[in-house]
């Protein structure tokens, strides 16, 4: 027995060394083969054979333990990776990558259910090269994956192409063939008994998946299901937090808007109670909304704020705001109609705020209501004052000589200084331009005159067949730079004559004052026609001060209106000075010197400065019927001298001096100068 053990001892030690070193299985068979080659006895060979079989059992057990240890380590690592992943895409990618690594397959992939479509779709792949395969959709029960999703049980096949356990479809088979897959294993991702996905591993060559590999993939799928549910829960939590933050932001913004609206409401209410004017409201709203506010009247004329030139479609925007009863957007601005019932009193324009939230929009619209209230109040006060002032105007025009001092005192009590220069405008409805009876038409014109003077210091009243307007001749009130008569004062009133006279200089009777009266009359005719809705003829007397002079200016304006109608210029505006020699005939004072100065002024000044005889030469030229030869005989000079003097006349008077209309006025002025001895 001892000899037997002694003979087998080297072989046994070698088997132990192979076990310790983890040698391959075939290395153990070499031990018995070596003993046979050395000629060991049969009993020794039998003992070595038994020892080899026992060593192989131990080797297999150790290998299984090492594999289980590696799998457990991998599962722990996988659990750590999945626990660390918070993003759903990262979680899914980690699941598929770890499945491929643990099973050592060519590819791995994961499908998720589409509840809306009632099937499953390929969500993540690892090791895939086929686009067709990556876009596969599997109906429940179709293919290996469809069967796993339907039955909630794992399935494996060494060769999917020939396995008739599965319901093959052309689409699925085409994708599997395009990817080149042969052996496939699929296990369900279960959460509370519900399949939330299917995890696959696949090889491109035949392979029989062992029960241990199926169990390993199921364990990974269990980890993956928990991680997937956690990731979805985190995603839902983040989404809920984001929605909560958005809701909080909306609440804060709404709270701030409500507070701003309350401040705005309190501010506007305070302004109304303190008797503020429209510019004060505009400034307050501009400060509250952080933009520029302009207030326009019903014709688009500015009442307050800086108003840019009306853009295309601004009237349509105001009409839309009136129809909708709220502010509307127009280009980069907001427009809100200022309404009193169905009547549009004006328009608010907000610039510098392209976007308005609901609270700011309501504040802007509330400003329109407050503006309407102020405009109605101002109009009511103005109408009341105008009635009282109209009585003054009627007494002034009817009996100015009766009590001039009393009239002046009454005017001063009403805020009208009759001692300062005023323009008297006589306005009559154009013939055939208005419907209704004379009284109704005149009443409409009187209302239009009141709106025309709204905010100004002028007064108006019906008198006879006309409406008479008394407009301050500037009175030192600044007008907008560069504006002529009819410009808008900073207060929103129509400009008087002083602003235009400041632009031109001169005196009444054909100078700048005559031009001012003409421009005021033209502007008044234009605006009164728009306000009344029918043509209006306006005649302007010269600027005058004092009851008697103002009454005379009224008579001059009346004659000017009659002259306009005789000349076929119904619906226009003009002054006596602008009618040339007709103005001399119509004027109450027959201002001959003013007409001569306005017509011949440049020649008279030139002769006075240079000692020339341009006026005498021009008179001789006209007296001789335009003959240069006869004129040079009359003047006793050479014909070239006459030509040179007439050239100078053309330079001073303009090229049209010898035209029919201009030459008539020049000849009348020359005749009046001669007859008056001027």
């Amino acid at each position: 027995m001892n000899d037997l053990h002694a003979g087998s001892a080297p072989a046994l030690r070698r088997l132990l060394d192979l076990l310790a070193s983890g040698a391959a299985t075939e290395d153990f068979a070499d031990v018995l083969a070596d003993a046979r080659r050395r000629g060991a006895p049969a009993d020794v060979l039998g003992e070595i054979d038994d020892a080899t079989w026992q060593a192989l059992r131990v080797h297999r057990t150790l290998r299984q333990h090492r594999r289980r240890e590696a799998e457990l380590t991998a599962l722990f690592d996988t659990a750590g990776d999945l626990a660390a992943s918070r993003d759903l895409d990262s979680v899914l990618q980690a699941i598929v990558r770890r499945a491929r690594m643990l099973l050592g397959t060519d590819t791995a992939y994961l499908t998720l259910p589409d509840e809306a479509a009632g099937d499953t779709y390929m969500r993540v792949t690892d090791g895939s090269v086929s686009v067709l395969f990556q876009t596969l959709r599997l109906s429940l029960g179709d293919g290996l994956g469809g069967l796993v999703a339907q039955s909630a049980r794992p399935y494996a096949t060494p060769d999917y192409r020939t396995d008739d356990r599965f319901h093959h479809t052309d689409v699925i088979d085409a994708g599997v063939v395009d990817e080149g897959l042969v052996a496939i294993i699929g296990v369900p991702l279960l959460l509370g008994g519900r399949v939330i996905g299917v995890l696959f591993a696949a090889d491109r060559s035949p392979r029989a998946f062992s029960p241990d590999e199926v169990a390993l993939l199921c364990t990974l799928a269990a980890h993956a299901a928990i991680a997937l549910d956690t990731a979805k829960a985190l995603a839902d939590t983040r989404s809920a937090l984001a929605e909560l933050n958005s809701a909080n932001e909306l609440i804060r913004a709404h709270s701030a808007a409500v507070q701003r609206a309350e401040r705005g409401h309190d501010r506007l209410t305070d302004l109304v109670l303190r008797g503020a004017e429209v510019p004060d409201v505009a400034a307050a709203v501009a400060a509250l909304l952080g933009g520029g506010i302009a207030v326009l009247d019903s014709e688009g004329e500015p009442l307050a704020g800086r108003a840019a030139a009306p853009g295309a479609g601004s009237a349509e925007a105001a009409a839309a705001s009136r129809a909708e009863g709220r502010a509307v957007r127009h280009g980069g601005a907001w427009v809100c109609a200022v309404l009193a019932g169905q009547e549009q009193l004006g328009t608010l324009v907000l610039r510098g705020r392209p976007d308005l939230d609901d609270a700011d929009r309501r504040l802007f619209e509330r400003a329109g209501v407050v503006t309407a209230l102020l405009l109605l109040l101002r109009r009511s006060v103005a109408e009341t004052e105008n009635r009282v002032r109209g009585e003054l105007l009627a007494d002034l025009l009817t009996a100015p000589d009766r009590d001039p001092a009393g009239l002046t005192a009454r005017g001063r009590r009403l805020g009208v200084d009759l001692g300062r220069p005023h323009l008297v405008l006589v306005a009559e409805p154009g013939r055939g331009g208005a419907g209704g009876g004379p009284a109704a038409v005149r009443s409409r014109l009187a209302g239009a005159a009141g709106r025309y003077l709204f905010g100004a210091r002028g007064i108006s009243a019906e008198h006879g067949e006309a409406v008479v307007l008394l407009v301050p001749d500037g009175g030192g009130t600044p007008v907008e730079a560069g504006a002529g008569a009819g410009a808008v004062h900073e207060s929103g009133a129509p400009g008087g004559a002083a602003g235009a006279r400041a632009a031109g200089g001169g005196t009444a009777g054909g100078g700048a004052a005559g031009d001012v009266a003409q421009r005021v009359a033209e502007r008044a005719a234009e605006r009164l026609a728009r306000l009344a809705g029918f043509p209006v003829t306006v005649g302007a007397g010269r600027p005058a001060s004092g009851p008697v002079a103002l009454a005379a200016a009224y008579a001059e304006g009346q004659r000017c209106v009659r002259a306009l109608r005789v000349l076929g210029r119904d619906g226009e505006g003009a002054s006596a000075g602008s009618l040339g020699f007709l103005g001399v005939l119509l004027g109450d004072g027959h201002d001959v010197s003013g007409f001569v100065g306005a017509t011949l002024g440049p020649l008279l000044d030139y002769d006075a400065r240079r000692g020339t005889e341009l006026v005498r030469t021009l008179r001789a030229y006209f007296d001789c019927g335009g003959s240069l030869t006869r004129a040079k005989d009359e003047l006793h000079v050479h014909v070239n001298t006459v030509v040179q003097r007439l050239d100078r006349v053309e330079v001073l008077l303009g090229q049209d001096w010898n035209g029919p209309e201009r030459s008539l006025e020049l000849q009348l002025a020359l005749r009046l100068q001669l007859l008056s001895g001027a």
Side-chain angles (χ1 to χ4, degrees):
M1 179 63 69
N2 291 333
D3 292 338
L4 175 61
H5 289 309
S8 62
L12 295 177
R13 283 196 299 272
R14 185 177 175 189
L15 289 173
L16 291 174
D17 291 339
L18 290 174
L19 286 174
S21 63
T25 303
E26 55 270 17
D27 292 340
F28 289 85
D30 292 342
V31 176
L32 182 59
D34 288 343
R36 285 196 181 97
R37 282 195 298 272
R38 289 196 301 270
D43 54 350
V44 172
L45 291 176
E47 186 176 358
I48 293 174
D49 185 43
D50 291 340
T52 300
W53 183 79
Q54 292 294 337
L56 287 174
R57 288 183 60 190
V58 173
H59 180 271
R60 186 164 52 252
T61 301
L62 290 175
R63 185 174 62 184
Q64 290 175 348
H65 283 303
R66 281 195 294 269
R67 186 177 71 248
R68 290 293 178 85
E69 182 181 357
E71 291 172 353
L72 288 174
T73 302
L75 287 175
F76 282 128
D77 292 343
T78 300
D81 292 343
L82 296 179
S85 299
R86 293 294 181 265
D87 179 66
L88 180 59
D89 289 334
S90 300
V91 169
L92 297 178
Q93 194 65 49
I95 291 170
V96 173
R97 187 182 306 111
R98 188 69 68 175
R100 182 185 178 197
M101 181 190 71
L102 287 176
L103 270 68
T105 56
D106 295 325
T107 183
Y109 49 97
L110 183 143
T111 61
L112 294 179
D114 186 341
E115 296 180 359
D119 59 5
T120 61
Y121 65 98
M122 198 74 67
R123 181 66 171 81
V124 180
T125 64
D126 190 70
S128 173
V129 296
S130 169
V131 176
L132 178 61
F133 181 77
Q134 294 166 10
T135 57
L136 275 181
R137 299 186 73 93
L138 291 78
S139 299
L140 293 178
D142 290 343
L144 186 149
L147 185 58
V148 173
Q150 184 183 51
S151 64
R153 294 174 55 192
Y155 280 90
T157 177
D159 191 342
Y160 174 79
R161 298 168 299 180
T162 61
D163 198 329
D164 57 4
R165 291 179 300 164
F166 311 110
H167 180 243
H168 292 264
T169 67
D170 294 339
V171 175
I172 297 175
D173 289 352
V176 171
V177 170
D178 194 53
E179 187 66 53
L181 300 182
V182 178
I184 304 175
I185 179 175
V187 297
L189 274 67
L190 296 173
L191 189 65
R194 182 171 59 92
V195 178
I196 63 172
V198 179
L199 180 61
F200 300 85
D203 263 339
R204 295 188 174 92
S205 58
R207 170 179 173 177
F209 292 99
S210 67
D212 289 342
E213 290 175 321
V214 175
L216 176 62
L217 195 60
C218 286
T219 304
L220 179 61
H223 284 291
I226 296 172
L228 187 60
D229 184 61
T230 302
K232 286 184 177 179
L234 287 174
D236 292 342
T237 302
R238 292 193 193 100
S239 178
L241 287 175
E243 292 177 358
L244 183 60
N245 288 334
S246 299
N248 286 335
E249 289 295 330
L250 288 175
I251 292 172
R252 282 195 292 269
H254 180 71
S255 176
V258 169
Q259 292 177 0
R260 188 165 62 252
E262 290 178 352
R263 290 196 302 270
H265 179 75
D266 293 343
R267 175 64 175 153
L268 294 177
T269 303
D270 180 64
L271 288 173
V272 173
L273 294 177
R274 288 194 294 106
E277 296 293 336
V278 172
D280 301 322
V281 174
V285 176
L288 289 169
L289 295 179
I293 290 284
V295 184
L296 311 178
D297 65 12
S298 57
E299 297 180 74
E301 298 290 340
L303 293 176
R306 295 182 176 272
S314 57
E316 290 79 359
S321 174
R322 176 181 179 180
E324 296 178 17
R326 62 180 309 178
V328 298
R329 187 168 180 172
H330 174 58
W334 287 86
V335 176
C336 181
V338 178
L339 301 174
Q342 294 301 315
E343 181 185 0
Q344 183 170 345
L345 303 179
T347 307
L348 291 184
V349 180
L350 172 63
R351 302 183 186 277
R353 283 291 305 275
D355 298 313
L356 284 181
D357 57 27
D358 289 341
D360 284 349
R361 188 170 178 175
R362 286 194 295 271
L363 177 58
F364 182 47
E365 292 165 352
R366 188 175 293 116
V369 175
V370 173
T371 302
L373 178 63
L374 291 180
L375 290 178
L376 281 175
L377 182 61
R378 286 181 58 187
R379 188 166 74 179
S380 176
V381 172
E383 289 174 351
T384 302
E385 291 180 347
N386 204 49
R387 281 196 297 271
V388 179
R389 291 175 176 179
E391 295 173 359
L392 168 66
L393 184 57
D395 292 344
L396 171 67
L397 301 180
T398 302
D401 297 324
R402 182 186 307 164
D403 185 11
L407 290 173
T408 301
R410 283 174 59 190
R412 191 173 295 111
R413 287 195 298 271
L414 295 175
V416 180
D417 187 357
L418 299 180
R420 303 182 68 177
H422 285 74
L423 278 176
V424 181
L425 304 180
V426 180
E428 293 186 5
R431 293 176 181 173
V441 172
R442 193 164 54 252
S443 177
R444 285 171 58 187
L445 180 55
R451 292 196 297 275
Y452 172 70
L453 293 175
F454 183 54
R457 288 170 295 170
I459 59 177
S460 64
E462 296 183 46
H463 188 70
E465 300 298 321
V467 173
V468 182
L469 297 86
L470 196 63
V471 180
D473 184 27
T477 303
V479 295
E480 293 179 352
V488 178
H489 289 262
E490 291 179 351
S491 64
R501 183 169 62 241
T507 59
D515 295 339
V516 166
Q518 170 67 18
R519 287 195 291 270
V520 170
E522 290 175 348
R523 176 63 171 162
E526 175 190 347
R527 290 204 63 199
L528 288 173
R530 290 205 307 269
L531 291 168
F534 51 78
V536 178
T537 305
V538 177
R542 74 189 66 196
S545 57
V548 176
L550 288 171
Y554 159 71
E556 189 174 276
Q558 275 187 311
R559 288 191 293 270
C560 190
V561 170
R562 288 196 295 270
L564 286 173
R565 286 183 166 170
V566 169
L567 295 172
R569 294 172 59 184
D570 205 27
E572 297 185 20
S575 65
S578 69
L579 296 177
F581 71 92
L582 284 177
V584 177
L585 298 177
L586 297 172
D588 183 60
H590 301 298
D591 188 9
V592 173
S593 61
F595 174 70
V596 171
T599 307
L600 300 177
L603 304 184
L604 294 170
D605 292 342
Y606 192 87
D607 284 347
R609 291 196 310 270
R610 303 292 183 90
T612 55
E613 295 184 335
L614 297 184
V615 174
R616 180 167 173 260
T617 301
L618 185 61
R619 181 182 295 114
Y621 174 75
F622 283 130
D623 290 344
C624 295
S627 171
L628 296 176
T629 303
R630 292 172 55 193
K632 63 97 176 175
D633 293 336
E634 178 76 20
L635 297 170
H636 304 290
V637 295
H638 194 275
V639 67
N640 290 341
T641 302
V642 178
V643 172
Q644 291 172 0
R645 290 178 180 179
L646 293 179
D647 287 342
R648 176 57 58 182
V649 169
E650 180 174 334
V651 171
L652 294 174
L653 299 183
Q655 295 182 353
D656 64 339
W657 71 273
N658 205 14
E661 183 176 347
R662 188 75 180 280
S663 65
L664 174 60
E665 294 213 355
L666 288 171
Q667 291 179 65
L668 285 172
L670 290 169
R671 178 64 60 181
L672 289 171
Q673 183 205 29
L674 183 64
L675 293 175
S676 65

